[in-house]
């Protein structure tokens, strides 16, 4: 038996509930994991509230990223064995698998073995955080050394990861955050510049930093009223990658500016990378090498006990933390 988290109706964190279930033996291409830590993603709160890019089949489970120990493997699984320390990469539908639990089944392709020593907490603070910007920046060579990238919600887990990935690729990360409260922390994490969007004129600051050129790339998870300013701050011929929708307000699109500057706007998520074996392997190698060398560092904002999963989701939705929220199981 395993205690897992599920929900039977859309809503706030309070709809999450614990259930005791029997976990089946793994199918041929599955791995059964004894979970030690869970990394929370904003996508999971969107899934819980019914605002995700995929329709939820209720009652539903949730969770993409866990770390733990392999408890058993399916007949076709050869890359991990019982007793291995592993973590899961977001590369599946939460309609098929939910990782919030004490003992869970995961698709074998999502399970990564950790050969080098790593804590269970650190192991759940690397995949979505780093793969999302790595894939966004490297696919199609969208970000080259010396180019400038604007990173909205820079204090989020993916925002912090994007700062580090940009630096690893030789680019110039400009962190956008609502106020100056996190300025010094973001600079210490590697941001070349920090712009407080509630206190400064984004377009004017980007023009100053780039000597009037504008940003080569915008990496945006917010949308809403800030979006026209991001378009204004984008260089002619630049790209805007939209990978989230944290704002609940309407997102205006300044069409004339887009046309005049020949700006390309892309919708982006990490699943093309994580569900394509060769792309996933390249991303995993880049990230594990970066973590091992110290070039990529995990940032854990707060830790919770499994019993406090509802409170953890409340903190997740406040969008006030710097780095990753981790639940220990």
């Amino acid at each position: 038996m395993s205690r897992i988290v599920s929900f039977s109706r859309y809503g706030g964190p309070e709809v999450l509930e614990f259930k005791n279930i029997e976990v089946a033996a793994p199918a041929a291409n599955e791995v059964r994991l004894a979970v030690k830590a869970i990394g929370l993603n904003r996508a999971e709160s969107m899934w819980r509230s019914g605002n995700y890019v995929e329709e939820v089949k209720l009652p539903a489970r949730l969770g993409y990223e866990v770390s733990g120990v392999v408890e058993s493997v399916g007949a076709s699984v050869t890359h991990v064995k019982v007793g291995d320390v592993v973590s899961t990469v977001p590369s599946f539908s939460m309609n098929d698998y939910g990782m919030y639990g004490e003992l869970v089944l995961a698709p074998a392709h999502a399970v990564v073995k950790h050969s080098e020593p790593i804590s269970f907490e650190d192991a759940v603070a690397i995949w979505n955080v780093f793969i999302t910007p790595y894939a966004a920046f490297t696919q199609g060579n969208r970000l080259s050394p010396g180019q400038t990238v604007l990173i909205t919600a820079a204090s989020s887990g993916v925002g912090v990861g994007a700062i580090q990935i940009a630096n690893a690729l030789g680019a110039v990360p400009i962190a956008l955050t609502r106020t100056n409260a996190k300025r010094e922390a973001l600079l210490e994490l590697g941001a070349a510049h920090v712009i407080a969007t509630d206190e400064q004129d984004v377009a004017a600051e980007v023009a100053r930093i780039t000597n009037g050129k504008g940003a080569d790339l915008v990496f945006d998870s917010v949308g809403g009223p800030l979006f026209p300013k991001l378009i204004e701050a984008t260089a002619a011929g630049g790209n805007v990658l939209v990978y989230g929708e944290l704002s609940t307000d309407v997102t205006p699109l300044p069409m004339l500016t887009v046309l005049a500057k020949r700006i390309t706007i892309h919708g982006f998520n990490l699943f093309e990378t994580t569900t394509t074996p060769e792309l996933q392997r390249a991303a995993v190698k880049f990230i594990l090498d970066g973590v091992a060398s110290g070039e990529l560092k995990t940032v854990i904002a707060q830790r919770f006990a499994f019993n406090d999963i509802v409170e953890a989701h409340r903190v997740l939705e406040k969008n006030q933390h710097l780095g990753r929220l981790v639940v220990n199981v």
Side-chain angles (χ1 to χ4, degrees):
M1 298 295 291
S2 170
R3 194 164 57 133
I4 60 95
V5 177
S6 67
F7 60 100
S8 56
R9 59 187 175 90
Y10 299 138
E14 68 278 357
V15 303
L16 297 177
E17 56 185 1
F18 288 101
K19 288 186 178 180
N20 289 308
I21 67 167
E22 185 173 349
V23 181
N29 288 305
E30 291 182 331
V31 178
R32 193 160 67 178
L33 308 176
V35 176
K36 300 299 182 181
I38 301 167
L40 301 191
N41 289 301
R42 195 69 167 84
E44 291 149 10
S45 69
M46 296 171 68
W47 177 262
R48 187 207 67 232
S49 60
N51 295 314
Y52 197 49
V53 294
E54 179 184 1
E55 184 178 355
V56 182
K57 298 176 183 177
L58 295 172
R61 294 180 61 175
L62 71 170
Y64 278 127
E65 292 182 80
V66 297
S67 61
V69 178
V70 175
E71 189 264 355
S72 56
V73 300
S76 300
V77 177
T78 58
H79 71 295
V80 295
K81 65 182 185 303
V82 173
D84 283 346
V85 173
V86 298
S87 61
T88 57
V89 174
S91 57
F92 49 86
S93 168
M94 287 187 284
N95 279 319
D96 298 327
Y97 295 94
M99 296 294 109
Y100 287 15
E102 296 170 330
L103 186 69
V104 300
L105 289 171
H109 70 263
V111 178
V112 173
K113 178 181 177 179
H114 292 277
S115 300
E116 300 296 324
I118 188 170
S119 73
F120 291 118
E121 290 184 347
D122 285 341
V124 292
I126 57 176
W127 296 130
N128 187 52
V129 165
F130 291 130
I131 286 183
T132 303
Y134 169 82
F137 297 166
T138 60
Q139 286 179 16
N141 297 314
R142 291 193 183 107
L143 190 62
S144 301
Q147 289 189 322
T148 301
V149 54
L150 295 188
I151 300 166
T152 65
S155 61
S156 68
V158 173
V160 169
I163 291 170
Q164 297 186 56
I165 293 291
N167 281 320
L169 296 173
V172 180
I174 301 177
L176 273 58
T177 184
R178 285 176 292 180
T179 72
N180 274 304
K182 298 173 182 176
R183 174 181 293 275
E184 292 306 315
L186 290 168
L187 290 170
E188 288 178 10
L189 287 168
H193 307 274
V194 177
I195 299 173
T197 59
D198 289 353
E199 302 171 11
Q200 297 173 279
D201 184 315
V202 173
E205 284 299 302
V206 172
R208 179 185 63 81
I209 292 166
T210 62
N211 294 317
K213 177 186 176 183
D216 299 288
L217 180 66
V218 175
F219 190 51
D220 181 42
S221 63
V222 179
L226 179 64
F227 199 73
K229 282 289 186 182
L230 300 179
I231 296 295
E232 187 181 348
T234 305
N239 288 282
V240 177
L241 297 183
V242 177
Y243 74 98
E245 189 187 19
L246 292 177
S247 175
T248 57
D249 295 321
V250 171
T251 300
L253 181 62
M255 291 293 291
L256 289 178
T257 306
V258 171
L259 293 171
K261 289 188 173 184
R262 309 176 312 282
I263 292 170
T264 303
I265 301 173
H266 308 259
F268 176 82
N269 65 54
L270 54 64
F271 290 101
E272 180 182 355
T273 294
T274 60
T275 60
T276 304
E278 61 270 23
L279 294 179
Q280 188 198 88
R281 283 193 294 271
V284 165
K285 183 179 187 308
F286 182 93
I287 291 161
L288 290 181
D289 287 350
V291 171
S293 70
E295 188 171 30
L296 302 179
K297 300 180 187 299
T298 59
V299 179
I300 297 174
Q302 195 169 343
R303 298 164 175 84
F304 300 86
F306 192 36
N307 286 341
D308 298 327
I309 192 71
V310 170
E311 177 59 23
H313 265 242
R314 290 195 179 108
V315 173
L316 177 67
E317 293 192 340
K318 290 178 181 177
N319 298 319
Q320 295 176 352
H321 54 282
L322 178 68
R324 196 66 186 269
L325 302 179
V326 172
V327 175
N328 287 301
V329 180

